[in-house]
Amino acid sequence: MSIWPIRIFFMALCSLAGYAVSQYRPEIIQGGVYGMMIGFGLGGMLVGIDHMLKGFSLRAFSAATFGLALGTVAAWLVDRTELFIYADEKTRWVIRLGLFLGFGYVGMILAMRSNKEDFSLIIPYVRFRSQSRPEDIYVLDTIAIIDGRVADLVESGFLEGTVVVPRFVLKELQLISDSADAIKRSRGRRGLEMLNRLQKNPKHEIKIHEADFVEEHEVDSKLVRLTKNLSGKLYTTDYNLSKVAELQGVAYVNVAELALLLKPTIIPGEALNLKLTREGREKGQAVGYLPDGTMVVVNSAHAHIGHQVRVLVQNLVQTGAGVIVFADLVDSKAEAA
């Protein structure tokens, strides 16, 4: 979000304040236009100082304040020595002003140039350490929750950190679970069961995030924006959402792609055990499926449909839907030989 609208609004308020002073205290500022100009100039000066300090962090400000306090104490101690007691009042005032300005400036500069170990010399036995450490944040979308594999990853310890479920995702799950469509209702209830399963895991923290971006109408846009604001990682099974996150520079993990990468590699000549469930497209063929859903077409196996068989992989064909494995029945006698 740009802060220039706030700066412009502040300068307008300063102008109005200058006008108000000219009206209620004319002895200070005479003329409304003159008052507005003074207010506008003061606001512009403050905005200019703000622009100059845009790289000035809170840590640097704290160090400068601490250094200024030390410098002021040092100047006060020097002043209390009464070294300049014989100087006249005007000269002594100038010397004191120089002492406080000089020691204050030197204290600020030294404090800002120092590191945290230097402060331990001033305050013994104290070490300034950050109490917060970088936290891994995982934002889940609706489909990833329903899918359930993220819950398996969390429970197995592959994901360590805080799992964030946005409130708008929870509302979407509730809407799906209350749907009149039986399939959608079943999916929604499964998602709620997965969330309940995650919350019961004592080893991991599950947070329901209340942020909602009313200007965004799509849940996917809200997810990408929330993940970016949290500097987290988005977990999804939606290909389109993954690409949107990638275009916007948001870290993501597509669980479906991860599952494909972790599938066992099948090579020609490998023997597999599987159950044949239906006929193939060609005469005599039968079809079975591996545990990960890969389709295996077995030649000359029509008579074995409904039975567990052992097959030998002949070749693999890559299609748009995935890999299809073609295999032949293993001759038990030949295998024994």
Side-chain angles (χ1 to χ4, degrees):
M1 175 182 176
S2 175
I3 61 174
W4 273 108
I6 299 175
R7 288 171 173 167
I8 293 171
F9 179 69
F10 172 73
M11 292 176 67
L13 285 179
C14 288
S15 301
L16 289 175
Y19 178 80
V21 171
S22 69
Q23 297 300 308
Y24 292 100
R25 299 294 299 272
E27 67 275 11
I28 299 177
I29 302 176
Q30 295 181 356
V33 176
Y34 189 55
M36 291 181 68
M37 290 176 62
I38 292 176
F40 185 83
L42 178 61
M45 183 179 68
L46 292 175
V47 169
I49 293 173
D50 161 47
H51 189 69
M52 290 168 57
L53 297 178
K54 62 182 178 180
F56 199 69
S57 66
L58 183 60
R59 180 182 179 279
F61 176 77
S62 302
T65 304
F66 183 71
L68 178 62
L70 286 180
T72 302
V73 171
W76 179 78
L77 290 174
V78 173
D79 182 57
R80 294 291 293 176
T81 61
E82 299 184 351
L83 289 174
F84 313 105
I85 192 173
Y86 297 107
D88 59 85
E89 191 67 26
K90 186 175 181 180
T91 304
R92 187 179 177 188
W93 184 87
V94 173
I95 292 174
R96 292 183 68 191
L97 178 63
L99 280 174
F100 280 94
L101 288 177
F103 276 98
Y105 174 76
V106 171
M108 290 172 60
I109 295 300
L110 290 178
M112 293 181 66
R113 287 177 178 173
S114 302
N115 55 41
K116 60 184 180 181
E117 295 299 327
D118 294 332
F119 283 98
S120 64
L121 298 175
I122 304 170
I123 311 176
Y125 311 112
V126 174
R127 294 292 185 272
F128 294 93
R129 292 182 181 176
S130 174
Q131 297 300 315
S132 60
R133 60 181 181 82
E135 184 181 30
D136 293 326
I137 296 176
Y138 308 102
V139 181
L140 306 184
D141 80 334
T142 310
I143 304 176
I145 295 172
I146 294 173
D147 180 83
R149 282 178 286 189
V150 171
D152 296 332
L153 289 172
V154 170
E155 290 179 349
S156 60
F158 284 104
L159 294 183
E160 295 182 355
T162 301
V163 177
V164 173
V165 179
R167 177 67 67 180
F168 53 82
V169 167
L170 185 58
K171 288 181 180 179
E172 187 178 39
L173 274 175
Q174 291 172 338
L175 287 174
I176 296 174
S177 62
D178 293 334
S179 173
D181 187 281
I183 297 176
K184 287 186 177 180
R185 187 166 61 247
S186 175
R187 286 169 57 83
R189 290 176 179 175
R190 172 179 166 78
L192 293 175
E193 288 173 4
M194 291 297 107
L195 275 182
N196 188 46
R197 177 177 155 191
L198 284 171
Q199 287 181 323
K200 287 183 177 179
N201 189 338
K203 297 181 180 179
H204 294 84
E205 184 180 7
I206 310 297
K207 287 185 178 179
I208 305 297
H209 205 286
E210 300 294 338
D212 192 1
F213 306 96
V214 292
E215 65 274 16
E216 301 285 356
H217 301 292
E218 299 293 332
V219 173
D220 288 359
S221 301
K222 294 181 179 183
L223 278 166
V224 172
R225 189 166 171 183
L226 176 62
T227 307
K228 192 170 187 177
N229 289 350
L230 295 176
S231 298
K233 187 173 289 186
L234 177 62
Y235 273 71
T236 181
T237 58
D238 188 338
Y239 176 82
N240 294 326
L241 178 57
S242 301
K243 292 305 173 186
V244 171
E246 184 178 357
L247 288 173
Q248 297 193 26
V250 174
Y252 73 93
V253 172
N254 189 318
V255 181
E257 293 179 355
L258 179 63
L260 287 174
L261 292 173
L262 295 176
K263 285 174 63 175
T265 304
I266 300 173
I267 57 175
E270 184 177 352
L272 304 173
N273 292 310
L274 74 159
K275 183 178 180 180
L276 301 179
T277 57
R278 62 182 180 85
E279 294 181 354
R281 294 179 59 182
E282 304 295 333
K283 184 178 179 180
Q285 287 181 340
V287 175
Y289 295 90
L290 297 177
D292 59 9
T294 302
M295 185 170 71
V296 181
V297 179
V298 184
N299 298 315
S300 304
H302 186 273
H304 298 278
I305 294 176
H307 298 283
Q308 191 83 13
V309 296
R310 186 169 178 80
V311 300
L312 195 66
V313 176
Q314 298 300 320
N315 65 321
L316 294 84
V317 177
Q318 181 69 49
T319 67
V323 176
I324 299 179
V325 178
F326 287 89
D328 291 333
L329 286 171
V330 173
D331 188 342
S332 57
K333 293 182 180 179
E335 189 179 22

mmCIF file of all heavy atoms in Angstrom, residues 136-140 223-236 241-254:
data_model
loop_
_atom_site.group_PDB
_atom_site.id
_atom_site.type_symbol
_atom_site.label_atom_id
_atom_site.label_comp_id
_atom_site.label_asym_id
_atom_site.label_seq_id
_atom_site.Cartn_x
_atom_site.Cartn_y
_atom_site.Cartn_z
ATOM 1 N N ASP A 136 8.352 -21.323 9.868
ATOM 2 C CA ASP A 136 7.813 -21.841 8.617
ATOM 3 C C ASP A 136 6.290 -21.807 8.699
ATOM 4 O O ASP A 136 5.691 -22.356 9.623
ATOM 5 C CB ASP A 136 8.295 -23.273 8.385
ATOM 6 C CG ASP A 136 9.797 -23.328 8.140
ATOM 7 O OD1 ASP A 136 10.314 -22.380 7.545
ATOM 8 O OD2 ASP A 136 10.436 -24.310 8.558
ATOM 9 N N ILE A 137 5.680 -21.146 7.726
ATOM 10 C CA ILE A 137 4.226 -21.009 7.692
ATOM 11 C C ILE A 137 3.706 -21.668 6.430
ATOM 12 O O ILE A 137 4.180 -21.392 5.327
ATOM 13 C CB ILE A 137 3.816 -19.527 7.734
ATOM 14 C CG1 ILE A 137 4.258 -18.896 9.058
ATOM 15 C CG2 ILE A 137 2.310 -19.365 7.558
ATOM 16 C CD1 ILE A 137 3.979 -17.414 9.152
ATOM 17 N N TYR A 138 2.719 -22.543 6.603
ATOM 18 C CA TYR A 138 2.120 -23.258 5.486
ATOM 19 C C TYR A 138 0.631 -22.892 5.415
ATOM 20 O O TYR A 138 -0.116 -23.143 6.353
ATOM 21 C CB TYR A 138 2.275 -24.767 5.652
ATOM 22 C CG TYR A 138 3.701 -25.194 5.923
ATOM 23 C CD1 TYR A 138 4.119 -25.533 7.208
ATOM 24 C CD2 TYR A 138 4.632 -25.228 4.897
ATOM 25 C CE1 TYR A 138 5.431 -25.907 7.459
ATOM 26 C CE2 TYR A 138 5.948 -25.603 5.147
ATOM 27 C CZ TYR A 138 6.333 -25.933 6.437
ATOM 28 O OH TYR A 138 7.631 -26.296 6.668
ATOM 29 N N VAL A 139 0.241 -22.299 4.294
ATOM 30 C CA VAL A 139 -1.149 -21.906 4.090
ATOM 31 C C VAL A 139 -1.826 -22.966 3.221
ATOM 32 O O VAL A 139 -1.318 -23.314 2.155
ATOM 33 C CB VAL A 139 -1.241 -20.521 3.422
ATOM 34 C CG1 VAL A 139 -2.698 -20.107 3.244
ATOM 35 C CG2 VAL A 139 -0.497 -19.474 4.253
ATOM 36 N N LEU A 140 -2.953 -23.484 3.692
ATOM 37 C CA LEU A 140 -3.653 -24.553 2.983
ATOM 38 C C LEU A 140 -4.864 -24.008 2.249
ATOM 39 O O LEU A 140 -5.608 -23.184 2.799
ATOM 40 C CB LEU A 140 -4.105 -25.642 3.960
ATOM 41 C CG LEU A 140 -3.030 -26.265 4.867
ATOM 42 C CD1 LEU A 140 -3.645 -27.395 5.692
ATOM 43 C CD2 LEU A 140 -1.862 -26.773 4.060
ATOM 44 N N LEU A 223 -6.076 -16.232 -1.151
ATOM 45 C CA LEU A 223 -5.041 -17.162 -0.682
ATOM 46 C C LEU A 223 -3.647 -16.693 -1.072
ATOM 47 O O LEU A 223 -2.725 -16.695 -0.245
ATOM 48 C CB LEU A 223 -5.302 -18.556 -1.259
ATOM 49 C CG LEU A 223 -6.321 -19.432 -0.537
ATOM 50 C CD1 LEU A 223 -6.709 -20.617 -1.397
ATOM 51 C CD2 LEU A 223 -5.756 -19.914 0.790
ATOM 52 N N VAL A 224 -3.494 -16.282 -2.319
ATOM 53 C CA VAL A 224 -2.184 -15.825 -2.794
ATOM 54 C C VAL A 224 -1.751 -14.578 -2.034
ATOM 55 O O VAL A 224 -0.596 -14.458 -1.596
ATOM 56 C CB VAL A 224 -2.230 -15.550 -4.314
ATOM 57 C CG1 VAL A 224 -0.945 -14.889 -4.785
ATOM 58 C CG2 VAL A 224 -2.447 -16.856 -5.079
ATOM 59 N N ARG A 225 -2.677 -13.674 -1.818
ATOM 60 C CA ARG A 225 -2.347 -12.425 -1.120
ATOM 61 C C ARG A 225 -1.993 -12.678 0.345
ATOM 62 O O ARG A 225 -1.036 -12.095 0.871
ATOM 63 C CB ARG A 225 -3.530 -11.470 -1.222
ATOM 64 C CG ARG A 225 -3.230 -10.079 -0.723
ATOM 65 C CD ARG A 225 -4.287 -9.120 -1.152
ATOM 66 N NE ARG A 225 -4.121 -7.825 -0.502
ATOM 67 C CZ ARG A 225 -4.947 -6.803 -0.664
ATOM 68 N NH1 ARG A 225 -5.985 -6.927 -1.477
ATOM 69 N NH2 ARG A 225 -4.747 -5.665 -0.043
ATOM 70 N N LEU A 226 -2.761 -13.548 0.999
ATOM 71 C CA LEU A 226 -2.479 -13.855 2.408
ATOM 72 C C LEU A 226 -1.123 -14.531 2.553
ATOM 73 O O LEU A 226 -0.339 -14.201 3.451
ATOM 74 C CB LEU A 226 -3.583 -14.745 2.974
ATOM 75 C CG LEU A 226 -3.371 -15.237 4.414
ATOM 76 C CD1 LEU A 226 -3.317 -14.055 5.379
ATOM 77 C CD2 LEU A 226 -4.464 -16.214 4.826
ATOM 78 N N THR A 227 -0.831 -15.491 1.674
ATOM 79 C CA THR A 227 0.453 -16.197 1.727
ATOM 80 C C THR A 227 1.613 -15.235 1.522
ATOM 81 O O THR A 227 2.649 -15.333 2.190
ATOM 82 C CB THR A 227 0.500 -17.303 0.659
ATOM 83 O OG1 THR A 227 -0.651 -18.143 0.789
ATOM 84 C CG2 THR A 227 1.749 -18.153 0.812
ATOM 85 N N LYS A 228 1.438 -14.285 0.615
ATOM 86 C CA LYS A 228 2.485 -13.293 0.362
ATOM 87 C C LYS A 228 2.688 -12.404 1.581
ATOM 88 O O LYS A 228 3.821 -12.096 1.967
ATOM 89 C CB LYS A 228 2.105 -12.451 -0.861
ATOM 90 C CG LYS A 228 3.233 -11.582 -1.386
ATOM 91 C CD LYS A 228 2.858 -10.967 -2.723
ATOM 92 C CE LYS A 228 4.035 -10.228 -3.332
ATOM 93 N NZ LYS A 228 3.700 -9.684 -4.677
ATOM 94 N N ASN A 229 1.595 -11.985 2.228
ATOM 95 C CA ASN A 229 1.699 -11.127 3.409
ATOM 96 C C ASN A 229 2.360 -11.846 4.584
ATOM 97 O O ASN A 229 3.079 -11.227 5.376
ATOM 98 C CB ASN A 229 0.315 -10.639 3.834
ATOM 99 C CG ASN A 229 -0.262 -9.622 2.871
ATOM 100 O OD1 ASN A 229 0.428 -9.130 1.982
ATOM 101 N ND2 ASN A 229 -1.535 -9.307 3.021
ATOM 102 N N LEU A 230 2.122 -13.162 4.689
ATOM 103 C CA LEU A 230 2.683 -13.934 5.792
ATOM 104 C C LEU A 230 4.088 -14.449 5.492
ATOM 105 O O LEU A 230 4.723 -15.047 6.373
ATOM 106 C CB LEU A 230 1.782 -15.130 6.113
ATOM 107 C CG LEU A 230 0.381 -14.811 6.651
ATOM 108 C CD1 LEU A 230 -0.425 -16.098 6.828
ATOM 109 C CD2 LEU A 230 0.469 -14.061 7.971
ATOM 110 N N SER A 231 4.560 -14.236 4.247
ATOM 111 C CA SER A 231 5.855 -14.785 3.807
ATOM 112 C C SER A 231 5.881 -16.297 4.028
ATOM 113 O O SER A 231 6.878 -16.861 4.477
ATOM 114 C CB SER A 231 7.017 -14.114 4.567
ATOM 115 O OG SER A 231 7.043 -12.740 4.301
ATOM 116 N N GLY A 232 4.767 -16.927 3.724
ATOM 117 C CA GLY A 232 4.637 -18.370 3.916
ATOM 118 C C GLY A 232 4.724 -19.133 2.610
ATOM 119 O O GLY A 232 5.199 -18.616 1.588
ATOM 120 N N LYS A 233 4.248 -20.364 2.650
ATOM 121 C CA LYS A 233 4.262 -21.239 1.471
ATOM 122 C C LYS A 233 2.855 -21.810 1.300
ATOM 123 O O LYS A 233 2.258 -22.307 2.252
ATOM 124 C CB LYS A 233 5.288 -22.349 1.668
ATOM 125 C CG LYS A 233 5.504 -23.208 0.423
ATOM 126 C CD LYS A 233 6.656 -24.182 0.628
ATOM 127 C CE LYS A 233 7.987 -23.475 0.659
ATOM 128 N NZ LYS A 233 9.129 -24.419 0.713
ATOM 129 N N LEU A 234 2.348 -21.709 0.095
ATOM 130 C CA LEU A 234 0.991 -22.151 -0.207
ATOM 131 C C LEU A 234 0.994 -23.617 -0.625
ATOM 132 O O LEU A 234 1.736 -24.003 -1.528
ATOM 133 C CB LEU A 234 0.404 -21.284 -1.325
ATOM 134 C CG LEU A 234 -0.995 -21.640 -1.820
ATOM 135 C CD1 LEU A 234 -2.026 -21.512 -0.704
ATOM 136 C CD2 LEU A 234 -1.377 -20.752 -3.003
ATOM 137 N N TYR A 235 0.164 -24.422 0.032
ATOM 138 C CA TYR A 235 0.014 -25.836 -0.318
ATOM 139 C C TYR A 235 -1.329 -26.024 -1.004
ATOM 140 O O TYR A 235 -2.375 -25.675 -0.450
ATOM 141 C CB TYR A 235 0.107 -26.722 0.930
ATOM 142 C CG TYR A 235 1.524 -27.097 1.279
ATOM 143 C CD1 TYR A 235 2.407 -26.157 1.777
ATOM 144 C CD2 TYR A 235 2.000 -28.389 1.066
ATOM 145 C CE1 TYR A 235 3.728 -26.480 2.066
ATOM 146 C CE2 TYR A 235 3.308 -28.726 1.359
ATOM 147 C CZ TYR A 235 4.165 -27.767 1.860
ATOM 148 O OH TYR A 235 5.466 -28.104 2.135
ATOM 149 N N THR A 236 -1.293 -26.591 -2.208
ATOM 150 C CA THR A 236 -2.497 -26.758 -3.001
ATOM 151 C C THR A 236 -2.352 -27.966 -3.907
ATOM 152 O O THR A 236 -1.254 -28.524 -4.048
ATOM 153 C CB THR A 236 -2.767 -25.493 -3.837
ATOM 154 O OG1 THR A 236 -3.971 -25.673 -4.595
ATOM 155 C CG2 THR A 236 -1.616 -25.224 -4.799
ATOM 156 N N LEU A 241 -4.060 -22.437 -9.620
ATOM 157 C CA LEU A 241 -3.660 -21.640 -8.452
ATOM 158 C C LEU A 241 -2.139 -21.648 -8.292
ATOM 159 O O LEU A 241 -1.538 -20.636 -7.926
ATOM 160 C CB LEU A 241 -4.341 -22.189 -7.193
ATOM 161 C CG LEU A 241 -3.987 -21.492 -5.869
ATOM 162 C CD1 LEU A 241 -4.285 -20.000 -5.943
ATOM 163 C CD2 LEU A 241 -4.758 -22.129 -4.716
ATOM 164 N N SER A 242 -1.517 -22.778 -8.583
ATOM 165 C CA SER A 242 -0.052 -22.857 -8.513
ATOM 166 C C SER A 242 0.600 -21.877 -9.481
ATOM 167 O O SER A 242 1.575 -21.197 -9.139
ATOM 168 C CB SER A 242 0.412 -24.279 -8.829
ATOM 169 O OG SER A 242 -0.129 -25.208 -7.931
ATOM 170 N N LYS A 243 0.061 -21.788 -10.687
ATOM 171 C CA LYS A 243 0.642 -20.893 -11.690
ATOM 172 C C LYS A 243 0.421 -19.426 -11.324
ATOM 173 O O LYS A 243 1.294 -18.582 -11.554
ATOM 174 C CB LYS A 243 0.048 -21.194 -13.072
ATOM 175 C CG LYS A 243 0.475 -22.551 -13.618
ATOM 176 C CD LYS A 243 1.990 -22.665 -13.627
ATOM 177 C CE LYS A 243 2.492 -24.039 -13.996
ATOM 178 N NZ LYS A 243 3.963 -24.155 -13.855
ATOM 179 N N VAL A 244 -0.756 -19.119 -10.750
ATOM 180 C CA VAL A 244 -1.009 -17.742 -10.309
ATOM 181 C C VAL A 244 -0.023 -17.355 -9.206
ATOM 182 O O VAL A 244 0.541 -16.260 -9.198
ATOM 183 C CB VAL A 244 -2.467 -17.596 -9.819
ATOM 184 C CG1 VAL A 244 -2.672 -16.248 -9.148
ATOM 185 C CG2 VAL A 244 -3.429 -17.747 -10.979
ATOM 186 N N ALA A 245 0.196 -18.272 -8.257
ATOM 187 C CA ALA A 245 1.152 -18.022 -7.174
ATOM 188 C C ALA A 245 2.560 -17.827 -7.732
ATOM 189 O O ALA A 245 3.304 -16.940 -7.291
ATOM 190 C CB ALA A 245 1.126 -19.180 -6.179
ATOM 191 N N GLU A 246 2.928 -18.629 -8.716
ATOM 192 C CA GLU A 246 4.265 -18.516 -9.315
ATOM 193 C C GLU A 246 4.440 -17.169 -10.011
ATOM 194 O O GLU A 246 5.491 -16.535 -9.891
ATOM 195 C CB GLU A 246 4.465 -19.659 -10.315
ATOM 196 C CG GLU A 246 5.849 -19.695 -10.936
ATOM 197 C CD GLU A 246 6.031 -20.876 -11.885
ATOM 198 O OE1 GLU A 246 5.099 -21.700 -12.004
ATOM 199 O OE2 GLU A 246 7.102 -20.967 -12.506
ATOM 200 N N LEU A 247 3.403 -16.706 -10.719
ATOM 201 C CA LEU A 247 3.481 -15.429 -11.420
ATOM 202 C C LEU A 247 3.618 -14.261 -10.451
ATOM 203 O O LEU A 247 4.240 -13.252 -10.776
ATOM 204 C CB LEU A 247 2.230 -15.236 -12.297
ATOM 205 C CG LEU A 247 2.147 -16.105 -13.555
ATOM 206 C CD1 LEU A 247 0.795 -15.945 -14.222
ATOM 207 C CD2 LEU A 247 3.257 -15.731 -14.536
ATOM 208 N N GLN A 248 3.046 -14.395 -9.252
ATOM 209 C CA GLN A 248 3.095 -13.317 -8.268
ATOM 210 C C GLN A 248 4.252 -13.468 -7.286
ATOM 211 O O GLN A 248 4.342 -12.731 -6.302
ATOM 212 C CB GLN A 248 1.768 -13.236 -7.511
ATOM 213 C CG GLN A 248 0.593 -12.897 -8.416
ATOM 214 C CD GLN A 248 -0.648 -12.510 -7.647
ATOM 215 O OE1 GLN A 248 -0.576 -12.025 -6.522
ATOM 216 N NE2 GLN A 248 -1.807 -12.714 -8.243
ATOM 217 N N GLY A 249 5.133 -14.434 -7.541
ATOM 218 C CA GLY A 249 6.319 -14.597 -6.711
ATOM 219 C C GLY A 249 6.046 -15.169 -5.338
ATOM 220 O O GLY A 249 6.785 -14.906 -4.394
ATOM 221 N N VAL A 250 4.987 -15.957 -5.220
ATOM 222 C CA VAL A 250 4.615 -16.567 -3.939
ATOM 223 C C VAL A 250 5.091 -18.020 -3.932
ATOM 224 O O VAL A 250 4.846 -18.773 -4.888
ATOM 225 C CB VAL A 250 3.087 -16.512 -3.717
ATOM 226 C CG1 VAL A 250 2.694 -17.266 -2.453
ATOM 227 C CG2 VAL A 250 2.630 -15.068 -3.640
ATOM 228 N N ALA A 251 5.769 -18.420 -2.869
ATOM 229 C CA ALA A 251 6.247 -19.799 -2.757
ATOM 230 C C ALA A 251 5.052 -20.747 -2.625
ATOM 231 O O ALA A 251 4.096 -20.452 -1.893
ATOM 232 C CB ALA A 251 7.159 -19.940 -1.550
ATOM 233 N N TYR A 252 5.110 -21.872 -3.315
ATOM 234 C CA TYR A 252 3.995 -22.820 -3.272
ATOM 235 C C TYR A 252 4.515 -24.235 -3.426
ATOM 236 O O TYR A 252 5.632 -24.465 -3.887
ATOM 237 C CB TYR A 252 2.972 -22.515 -4.376
ATOM 238 C CG TYR A 252 3.455 -22.895 -5.762
ATOM 239 C CD1 TYR A 252 3.154 -24.142 -6.313
ATOM 240 C CD2 TYR A 252 4.236 -22.022 -6.517
ATOM 241 C CE1 TYR A 252 3.605 -24.497 -7.572
ATOM 242 C CE2 TYR A 252 4.695 -22.369 -7.767
ATOM 243 C CZ TYR A 252 4.360 -23.606 -8.304
ATOM 244 O OH TYR A 252 4.828 -23.966 -9.544
ATOM 245 N N VAL A 253 3.679 -25.189 -3.029
ATOM 246 C CA VAL A 253 3.938 -26.608 -3.257
ATOM 247 C C VAL A 253 2.654 -27.218 -3.796
ATOM 248 O O VAL A 253 1.606 -27.149 -3.140
ATOM 249 C CB VAL A 253 4.371 -27.329 -1.963
ATOM 250 C CG1 VAL A 253 4.443 -28.837 -2.201
ATOM 251 C CG2 VAL A 253 5.707 -26.819 -1.469
ATOM 252 N N ASN A 254 2.733 -27.770 -4.985
ATOM 253 C CA ASN A 254 1.594 -28.487 -5.546
ATOM 254 C C ASN A 254 1.701 -29.945 -5.096
ATOM 255 O O ASN A 254 2.603 -30.667 -5.515
ATOM 256 C CB ASN A 254 1.595 -28.384 -7.075
ATOM 257 C CG ASN A 254 0.312 -28.930 -7.692
ATOM 258 O OD1 ASN A 254 -0.198 -29.968 -7.268
ATOM 259 N ND2 ASN A 254 -0.210 -28.224 -8.671
#
